[in-house]
Amino acid sequence: MRTVVIDADWEPKPEYDVSEREHRTRRAMDASGVWKNSTLEVETRERPTPGSDEVLVRVRYAGICGSDLSMLATDEDGYVHYSAYATFPNVIGHEFAGEIVETGADVRLFEEGDLVTSEVTDYCGRCNACRQGSPGHCNRFEQLGFTISGAFAEFVAVPEKLCWNVSPLRNAYDDEDALLKAAATIEPATITYHGLFARAEGILPGDYHVYHGAGPIGLTGMNVSRGAGAGAVIAFEPSDERRAIAREIGFEHVYDPLERDPVDVIDEVTNGEGADVHVETSGAVSQTYPVIEDSLAEGANVVHISNAGSDPAIALRKYQGSTAQIYGAEGHTGQRIYPRVIRMMAAGRVDNSPIVTTTMALSDADDAFERAAERVDGKVLLEM
Ligand SMILES: [Zn+2]
Ligand SMILES: [Zn+2]
C-alpha cells in the first residue's frame, strides 16, 4: 500500500538529556531536541495486519495538521520544529475517516463496513494518569501518526477502543463521500470541544467567545462554539484567506488584529462586557495575552490550546480582578468528547465541510504539504 513517511536523523542536541527509554525506543519526548534533516516520501509499505484488539481501516480522507507540517519544517541547525513525542521513520497522519475492512479476533464494538474515525492517543488504562481520568496524559501513551503508523496510508490499523462510528452523520450528509470528508474534520473539532467543555468550567449558552487565530483549529472551534450556542463568536486572524473562509461560513465578527485593535473590537461587540471565553489558537501569545487580559468579562474562561514556543508575561492582577481563569487544554482523549462532536455534526449544528478548501491525492503529498505550509487554507485533505 502507498503511505506518506517522514524520516529524519537521530542526532540529540548536546544539551538534550536523552533518557534510557528514548535511547532504546528512538521515541523522543521532544522531537525538536533530537531529530534533524526531516524528509517526506511517498513510500510503498506492507498493508498492516490488525492485532487482536485492532481494526483495519481503509482510509478515505485524512487532513494535514500543523503538527505534521512542524515535523517537516526545520530550524537553521536542521532540527524539526515539532516539540512533542515522535519517532522516525514513521507513516504520519492522524485526522482521518474511512471504512473498517478487517477486525481482530477480540474486537467487539465494530464490524466490517463500519465507517469510523479515531482518537490519536493510545492510552494504557492502568497508569496513574489514566486512572485519574486523564488518559490523554497517559504515562505510556503512543500516538497514531507520531510514534505509531498513522493515517496517510491506504490502510491503518487502530485499537478499537480509539475508534468512533461516524454513521450517525448520515443524518446530515446524503452521500458517503461527503460524510467521510466531514468526518475527517472531527479530530480538529474535538480539540476545542475538549478545551471548552472538558477543561474550562461553566461555559454557558449565550457566552461571548473570542478566537485568537482562525486556522484549522480556530475555524473548526468557531463552528463548535456557534453550534453550542455562543452569544457571539469573534475571531482575530491576520491571513486574508482565512478571514474570508470564516466570513463565508457565516461569521460576522472577523478581523485582522493588525488592522483593528482587538480590545476595541471586543469592547464594541460585547457592549463593554468583555469576552466570557477566550480561545488561544494562534501561538502568537505575546500579542494575544495582553488583548485577552484587557478584555476579560467577569468570570471569564481562557482556554489555552496553541503550542507556543515561548511564554507570555501574565498580568496576574487582571485575572484576580475579573475572577478569570486560564485552562490549559491539549488533545481530546476521553470518552465524552468524540461522540458529542459527532452528535453536533449529525444534528447539523457543526458543518466543517466548507472549511476543507483543498483536497489532493496521496501520491501528491509533496504538493499538498507545500500548499498546507502556505497556511492559507481552512484544511487540506489527502484523498487515498
Ligand atoms: Zn492534529
Ligand atoms: Zn496510561
Side-chain angles (χ1 to χ4, degrees), residues 11-230:
E11 214 175 290
K13 290 178 182 170
E15 66 272 23
Y16 190 93
D17 191 13
V18 181
S19 73
E20 184 278 323
R21 182 178 184 275
E22 287 177 312
H23 181 76
R24 179 168 39 84
T25 62
R26 285 287 192 265
R27 285 156 152 81
M29 292 310 295
D30 173 359
S32 67
V34 169
W35 292 107
K36 65 191 292 194
N37 307 328
S38 53
T39 55
L40 180 131
E41 215 81 60
V42 176
E43 210 177 281
T44 302
R45 285 197 170 189
E46 249 347 86
R47 174 173 158 166
T49 309
S52 60
D53 62 350
E54 289 183 332
V55 297
L56 186 69
V57 179
R58 183 199 302 273
V59 181
R60 185 80 66 85
Y61 291 106
I64 298 178
C65 173
S67 54
D68 299 323
L69 297 173
S70 71
M71 287 191 278
L72 197 56
T74 51
D75 65 16
E76 61 276 14
D77 299 322
Y79 285 94
V80 302
H81 285 176
Y82 188 64
S83 60
Y85 195 35
T87 193
F88 303 109
N90 190 35
V91 177
I92 58 164
H94 59 271
E95 308 175 356
F96 71 100
E99 179 186 350
I100 292 181
V101 292
E102 204 182 320
T103 55
D106 298 331
V107 165
R108 274 172 280 172
L109 303 171
F110 298 97
E111 52 191 46
E112 278 172 43
D114 284 347
L115 304 181
V116 294
T117 186
S118 150
E119 296 179 25
V120 177
T121 300
D122 187 11
Y123 50 92
C124 74
R126 298 173 177 184
C127 72
N128 190 48
C130 282
R131 296 182 73 191
Q132 299 297 322
S134 292
H137 285 156
C138 173
N139 301 344
R140 284 177 260 170
F141 74 121
E142 297 299 340
Q143 286 192 308
L144 210 69
F146 297 94
T147 61
I148 49 179
S149 218
F152 290 158
E154 288 169 84
F155 299 91
V156 61
V158 190
E160 74 162 333
K161 75 173 197 268
L162 302 185
C163 286
W164 294 98
N165 199 318
V166 297
S167 52
L169 298 187
R170 286 190 211 281
N171 265 344
Y173 301 92
D174 14 278
D175 73 280
E176 193 172 288
D177 194 68
L179 183 158
L180 287 169
K181 220 173 206 184
T185 69
I186 290 172
E187 195 274 346
T190 62
I191 302 288
T192 39
Y193 187 101
H194 172 248
L196 293 168
F197 302 113
R199 290 290 301 118
E201 284 172 281
I203 289 180
L204 299 172
D207 274 356
Y208 292 127
H209 293 220
V210 175
Y211 278 78
H212 301 271
I217 297 290
L219 286 166
T220 51
M222 289 159 69
N223 273 344
V224 169
S225 287
R226 177 169 59 185

Side-chain angles (χ1 to χ4, degrees), residues 4 40-42 72 361-371 382:
V4 178
L40 180 131
E41 215 81 60
V42 176
L72 197 56
L362 178 145
S363 48
D364 297 329
D366 254 326
D367 294 340
F369 265 70
E370 244 169 65
R371 168 85 198 185
L382 291 182

